[in-house]
Amino acid sequence: MDKSGKVNVNIINGIASISFSHPKSNSLPSRLLKEITNYIYQFGEDEKAHVIVIRSEGEKSFCAGASFDELLEIKDYKTGKEFFMGFARLLNAMRKCPKFIIARIHGKAVGGGVGIAAAADYTMATNEASVRLSELALGLGPFVVGPAIERKIGKTNFITMSIDAEWHDAFWAKQAGLYTKVFATIHDLDEAISSLAKKIASCSPQAVAEMKKVFWQGTENWDSLLEERAEISGRLVLGEYTKNYIRNFKKS
């Protein structure tokens, strides 16, 4: 298992922060996915946390998605499904959390990183925060993150991202509905997030929790849906096409 990377958390004045990092473009191995998921549930129940901000470290990529190193190590269906269940559990935790979640997207987001941006309740980014669903090129597909992304940007835009597997800039992402606001600098992004988080932290927790339920109506089947999607990915990741693509990518 990939033991690189870390998750740091804190609560200051009602604002809970979850910050993750990984030396390979903030990719997400199983261990980090589990830690982030656990913290979302923890802060969801913590009366001292009124709003959650999820972010990553550094100034380049926000998140490169699944850990290629860990994908290469998958040798059987059970392990494959369990790896993708890590993303399923994270998205479901974000969906069920009774607190609003703000996503800070400071750089490029791929695959699972786009899923996090989509599953947040309010997502702000810099103009460097291009997005890409590269799964088809790997011989996979954006199966687990798909419901969250489609919910945010609509079926047509989701199909476009899934098929062309190309980069789409931050302004496309804003127009599509993935980002709420886009800023010229990280400083401006952080100022806006701080202002919004303070505003939400002063709101009625009961009102926020009820609004969250309303926002996510129609997703009650996601526990089973995302597990089904993880099963598809768990089968496909065993294919030689995917293994060869990742090996060649790592050599380049």
Side-chain angles (χ1 to χ4, degrees):
M1 179 178 288
D2 186 344
K3 296 183 179 180
S4 302
K6 60 182 179 178
V7 179
N8 291 316
V9 299
N10 61 53
I11 304 176
I12 301 175
N13 297 325
I15 302 169
S17 174
I18 300 174
S19 181
F20 64 91
S21 64
H22 191 279
K24 294 188 176 178
S25 301
N26 288 329
S27 60
L28 289 170
S30 297
R31 182 179 60 82
L32 293 191
L33 286 167
K34 185 175 182 179
E35 286 186 34
I36 296 168
T37 300
N38 288 342
Y39 280 123
I40 288 172
Y41 279 117
Q42 179 181 316
F43 288 143
E45 297 176 358
D46 193 329
E47 293 183 357
K48 296 191 294 295
H50 293 172
V51 60
I52 299 169
V53 178
I54 187 165
R55 52 175 288 161
S56 65
E57 298 297 328
E59 296 184 355
K60 294 185 178 180
S61 298
F62 165 71
C63 177
S67 165
F68 274 16
D69 289 340
E70 196 162 340
L71 286 178
L72 269 182
E73 293 174 2
I74 296 171
K75 298 294 190 292
D76 59 80
Y77 165 72
K78 182 180 179 182
T79 306
K81 176 188 173 181
E82 181 58 28
F83 175 80
F84 289 102
M85 280 301 297
F87 285 98
R89 294 185 186 107
L90 172 56
L91 298 182
N92 272 322
M94 295 176 73
R95 173 176 69 91
K96 296 174 182 177
C97 181
K99 317 289 173 67
F100 288 150
I101 298 175
I102 301 170
R104 173 191 182 270
I105 316 297
H106 70 274
K108 291 181 176 179
V110 180
V114 183
I116 292 172
D121 301 293
Y122 204 101
T123 302
M124 292 192 266
T126 69
N127 56 18
E128 300 295 322
S130 300
V131 293
R132 183 186 184 197
L133 295 181
S134 59
E135 287 88 342
L136 186 60
L138 276 70
L140 301 170
F143 298 110
V144 175
V145 297
I149 297 169
E150 184 179 332
R151 171 181 171 271
K152 263 289 174 69
I153 70 176
K155 186 175 287 291
T156 299
N157 286 323
F158 172 59
I159 290 171
T160 299
M161 288 190 74
S162 300
I163 291 176
D164 67 27
E166 299 294 336
W167 287 105
H168 295 265
D169 66 29
F171 301 101
W172 183 94
K174 181 178 183 297
Q175 188 174 30
L178 180 66
Y179 297 157
T180 311
K181 295 180 180 178
V182 174
F183 298 89
T185 68
I186 289 179
H187 173 77
D188 291 344
L189 171 66
D190 286 338
E191 287 285 311
I193 288 175
S194 176
S195 176
L196 178 64
K198 287 176 183 176
K199 190 181 298 183
I200 295 173
S202 67
C203 293
S204 158
Q206 292 77 19
V208 168
E210 292 300 327
M211 287 179 69
K212 181 87 180 221
K213 291 178 186 176
V214 169
F215 292 163
W216 286 88
Q217 279 179 354
T219 64
E220 292 81 8
N221 67 326
W222 277 25
D223 281 335
S224 58
L225 174 63
L226 298 193
E227 182 171 1
E228 291 169 7
R229 298 292 185 84
E231 289 171 353
I232 297 172
S233 295
R235 290 194 299 269
L236 288 173
V237 76
L238 300 174
E240 278 305 305
Y241 187 102
T242 298
K243 299 292 187 187
N244 288 335
Y245 180 95
I246 295 174
R247 289 189 198 102
N248 291 332
F249 180 87
K250 287 170 66 67
K251 290 177 184 174
S252 61

